[in-house]
């Protein structure tokens, strides 16, 4: 079964750090670009970051640039998001998502994880 | 990039059709045939419903259809069913911008 499973969320104080993980299974992880998308409570989806298939290229939303770092370990089929200098406005459910477009897969976010909640509060 | 513009709400009775719009610019919606639509039920992860403007992934009912004209894309849900009640989001190009979301209510 093709799936993504996030972990690592929790409660952290402002200024603190957290590392999210996203374990992939059921597909050739190393062939796909991967993204993080977040959703604050009661709000819409917001793109956070993306990484290309071999990890050599990354991109970030302005709101997290310089504070968050996306990375991947293709040998472990795992995507990461290192979040530093966390702020209250970073409170959200964080989803990892596969960007298709490889082979016959849709060129869109075709697979999503279940999400992991990050709460930044003192 | 600015968020794409969607109406905050839409509604229809069972069996009716409803269309949700998604307006961007010539740099996103209008410039590329990579508009996608996602359905999200409360407490659940988003689900891909339409990609590349009008294509449906395997398993998505053909009641869901997509189109585009200029800088505006549209998602149409025909033959509304109770389970279609959800939030819908559009996204464009490389996925780095989403619409604000539309809450679809089945009356």
């Amino acid at each position: 079964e093709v799936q993504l499973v996030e972990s690592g969320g929790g409660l952290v104080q402002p200024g603190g750090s957290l590392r999210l993980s996203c374990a992939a299974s059921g597909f050739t992880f190393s062939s796909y670009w991967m993204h993080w998308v977040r959703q604050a409570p009661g709000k819409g989806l917001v793109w956070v970051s993306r990484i290309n298939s071999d990890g050599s290229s990354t991109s970030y939303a302005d709101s997290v640039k310089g504070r968050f770092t996306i990375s991947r370990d293709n040998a472990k089929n795992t995507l990461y998001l290192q979040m530093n200098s966390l702020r209250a406005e970073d409170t959200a459910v964080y989803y990892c998502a596969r960007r298709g477009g490889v082979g016959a897969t849709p060129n869109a976010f075709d697979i999503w994880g279940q999400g992991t909640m990050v709460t930044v509060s003192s | 990039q600015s968020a794409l513009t969607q109406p905050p709400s839409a509604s229809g009775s069972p069996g009716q059709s409803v269309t949700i719009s998604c307006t961007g610019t010539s740099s996103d919606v209008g410039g590329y045939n990579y508009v996608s639509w996602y359905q999200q039920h409360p407490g659940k992860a988003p689900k891909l419903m339409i990609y590349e403007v009008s294509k449906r992934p395997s398993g998505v009912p053909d009641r869901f259809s997509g189109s585009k004209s200029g800088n505006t894309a549209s998602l149409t849900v025909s033959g509304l069913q109770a389970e279609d009640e959800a939030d819908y989001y559009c996204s464009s190009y490389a996925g780095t911008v989403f619409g604000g979301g539309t809450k679809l209510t089945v009356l």
Side-chain angles (χ1 to χ4, degrees):
Chain A
E1 180 190 3
V2 175
Q3 65 175 352
L4 299 170
V5 179
E6 300 99 334
S7 60
L11 174 63
V12 61
Q13 292 187 338
S17 298
L18 213 53
R19 189 177 83 156
L20 306 183
S21 299
C22 169
S25 60
F27 65 97
T28 306
F29 178 70
S30 60
S31 295
Y32 292 85
W33 292 37
M34 297 295 296
H35 295 243
W36 288 98
V37 176
R38 70 184 182 184
Q39 186 172 35
K43 302 297 185 181
L45 301 174
V46 176
W47 175 79
V48 173
S49 182
R50 68 94 177 141
I51 188 167
N52 70 345
S53 56
D54 67 5
S56 62
S57 173
T58 60
S59 181
Y60 300 91
D62 288 343
S63 59
V64 306
K65 200 172 294 182
R67 300 188 299 122
F68 289 12
T69 302
I70 189 172
S71 63
R72 64 192 298 162
D73 186 334
N74 285 343
K76 295 183 177 180
N77 292 334
T78 304
L79 174 73
Y80 303 101
L81 186 67
Q82 177 67 43
M83 303 185 296
N84 298 331
S85 302
L86 282 162
R87 307 166 179 167
E89 54 265 36
D90 295 319
T91 294
V93 174
Y94 284 73
Y95 295 100
C96 61
R98 186 181 84 170
R99 185 75 186 182
V102 175
T105 59
N107 195 339
F109 295 129
D110 62 340
I111 304 296
W112 294 71
Q114 84 287 355
T116 187
M117 183 69 204
V118 172
T119 303
V120 184
S121 175
S122 55
Chain B
Q1 282 179 296
S2 300
L4 306 177
T5 300
Q6 296 181 235
S9 64
S11 63
S13 299
Q16 288 187 332
S17 294
V18 64
T19 297
I20 299 170
S21 62
C22 171
T23 301
T25 69
S26 58
S27 298
D28 40 59
V29 173
Y32 308 91
N33 286 326
Y34 287 115
V35 177
S36 50
W37 290 90
Y38 304 87
Q39 177 192 64
Q40 187 181 35
H41 287 108
K44 301 295 187 181
K47 174 187 176 184
L48 177 65
M49 303 301 284
I50 295 287
Y51 68 101
E52 293 177 21
V53 176
S54 60
K55 298 178 181 179
R56 275 188 313 276
S58 174
V60 172
D62 60 5
R63 302 184 294 104
F64 291 85
S65 62
S67 62
K68 189 183 83 167
S69 178
N71 295 335
T72 298
S74 298
L75 172 71
T76 297
V77 186
S78 305
L80 271 175
Q81 299 182 5
E83 58 262 36
D84 299 332
E85 184 162 297
D87 294 325
Y88 291 84
Y89 296 90
C90 62
S91 181
S92 180
Y93 188 42
T96 56
V97 61
F98 287 94
T102 298
K103 181 176 180 59
L104 174 60
T105 300
V106 180
L107 302 170

